[in-house]
């Protein structure tokens, strides 16, 4: 019998829902959000543990869990010996230094000798020493953004997403020290059978992510426009071109990348395409 792979997920927080949705899109079913601390998948050899995100790297390092999903900020800050096996593309944010809005800032040298409150002393310390800055780092575990207004520190270093928390606390972002997204981390020495399960999981995750990053496109064009359009739509190998019932016309089927979709679609229209349909792809396997 296969020993299940143990996967640690955040119990409740910014990573939880997207982590669950990722496994769901990979066809892996398990009970989630029931308040339980552990759940066994009904259709994949996996067991899920629901924990606080800060504890996940430690559990993975110790081998209590084989895999975990955390923000890169947490993975690096905890300093645990784990392997980052995949970037997951959600919970994107940045770790930034911010100061009161009215304070003049000419560059990082202005932070020399300043007091900075943060929950990320390791990441901040590495960044500052890399820039030759010695500052007084105050480690606090929450509500970092109020530190300057209560006189605890002259600056802060905290996670920023939209920037609205900084704005509403009268702060301005002056240095971005780290960019983060959710990552899958793994125990450093997985036994062979667990590595096989991880490979199966990564195969599914790649298919789901590729599908998310691409769209299926169908269009009609006069035959003389097909070579030009095909160049713009290379697809997975080459586009599928089939004749239309109307003489001299063809239909082109391909995939188009989500990132530069609007730019490319203009070029495709200019090359002679019409009747363009764009559809979501559920899974994409190269
Ligand atoms: O309870 P547990 O310890 O498990 O959760 P937590 O409260 O420590 O973490 P949680 O759920 O808040 O965040 C989990 C992870 O999500 C973080 O480690 C980041 O990798 C990522 N993430 C993405 C964020 C944000 N966006 C974010 N906006 N983590 C925190 N914030 C906070 C930030 O600390 C600040 O207070 O949101 C505020 C800033 O947001 P904006 O939009 O106002 O800029
Ligand atoms: Zn946490």
């Amino acid at each position: 019998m296969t020993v299940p792979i143990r996967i640690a997920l955040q119990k409740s927080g910014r990573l939880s829902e997207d982590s669950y949705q990722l496994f769901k899109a990979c066809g892996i079913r398990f009970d989630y959000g029931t308040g339980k601390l552990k759940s066994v998948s009904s259709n994949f050899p996996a067991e899920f543990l629901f924990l606080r995100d800060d504890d996940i790297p430690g559990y993975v390092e110790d081998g209590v869990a084989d895999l975990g999903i955390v923000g890169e900020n947490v993975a690096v800050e905890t300093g645990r010996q784990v392997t980052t096996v995949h970037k997951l593309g959600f919970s994107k944010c940045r770790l930034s230094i911010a100061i009161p809005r009215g304070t003049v800032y000419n560059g990082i040298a202005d932070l020399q000798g300043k007091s900075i409150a943060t929950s990320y002393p390791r990441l901040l310390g590495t960044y500052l020493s890399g820039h030759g800055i010695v500052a007084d780092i105050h480690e606090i575990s929450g509500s970092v953004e109020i530190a300057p207004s209560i006189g605890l520190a002259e600056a802060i270093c905290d996670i920023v997403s939209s920037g609205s928390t900084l704005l509403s606390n009268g702060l301005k972002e002056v240095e971005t020290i780290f960019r983060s997204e959710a990552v899958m981390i793994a125990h450093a020495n997985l036994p062979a059978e667990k590595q096989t399960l991880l490979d199966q999981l990564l195969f599914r995750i790649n298919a789901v992510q590729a599908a998310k990053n691409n769209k299926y496109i169908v269009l009609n064009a006069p035959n003389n426009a097909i070579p030009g359009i095909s160049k713009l739509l290379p697809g997975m190998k080459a586009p599928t071109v089939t004749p239309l019932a109307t003489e001299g016309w063809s239909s082109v089927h391909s995939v188009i990348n989500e990132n530069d979709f609007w730019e490319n679609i203009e070029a495709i229209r200019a090359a002679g395409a019409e009747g363009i349909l764009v559809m979501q792809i559920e899974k994409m396997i190269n």
Side-chain angles (χ1 to χ4, degrees), residues 64-196:
V64 174
D66 302 304
L67 306 177
I69 293 183
V70 285
E72 269 173 304
N73 51 315
V74 168
V76 177
E77 182 63 30
T78 52
R80 298 297 192 143
Q81 297 303 306
V82 295
T83 312
T84 297
V85 288
H86 205 72
K87 293 195 180 230
L88 299 171
F90 58 83
S91 294
K92 287 191 176 173
C93 57
R94 53 195 189 271
L95 185 62
S96 293
I97 299 174
I99 60 171
R101 210 172 307 143
T103 310
V104 176
Y105 188 80
N106 296 309
I108 191 148
D110 290 359
L111 296 173
Q112 191 71 32
K114 292 281 183 331
S115 57
I116 310 177
T118 190
S119 309
Y120 294 89
R122 180 188 293 258
L123 278 163
L124 177 60
T126 306
Y127 183 83
L128 293 178
S129 59
H131 287 79
I133 304 293
V134 180
D136 181 11
I137 299 177
H138 279 269
E139 184 178 354
I140 53 175
S141 60
S143 305
V144 173
E145 62 280 354
I146 62 162
S149 64
I150 60 171
L152 184 72
E154 293 157 285
I156 67 157
C157 174
D158 199 11
I159 298 289
V160 182
S161 172
S162 67
S164 67
T165 303
L166 293 183
L167 199 66
S168 61
N169 284 281
L171 300 168
K172 65 176 176 187
E173 196 174 349
V174 292
E175 301 285 338
T176 297
I177 74 165
F178 190 80
R179 290 192 184 273
S180 178
E181 64 185 85
V183 287
M184 178 168 283
I185 54 170
H187 182 65
N189 292 304
L190 284 181
E193 57 175 11
K194 299 249 173 110
Q195 184 62 47
T196 303

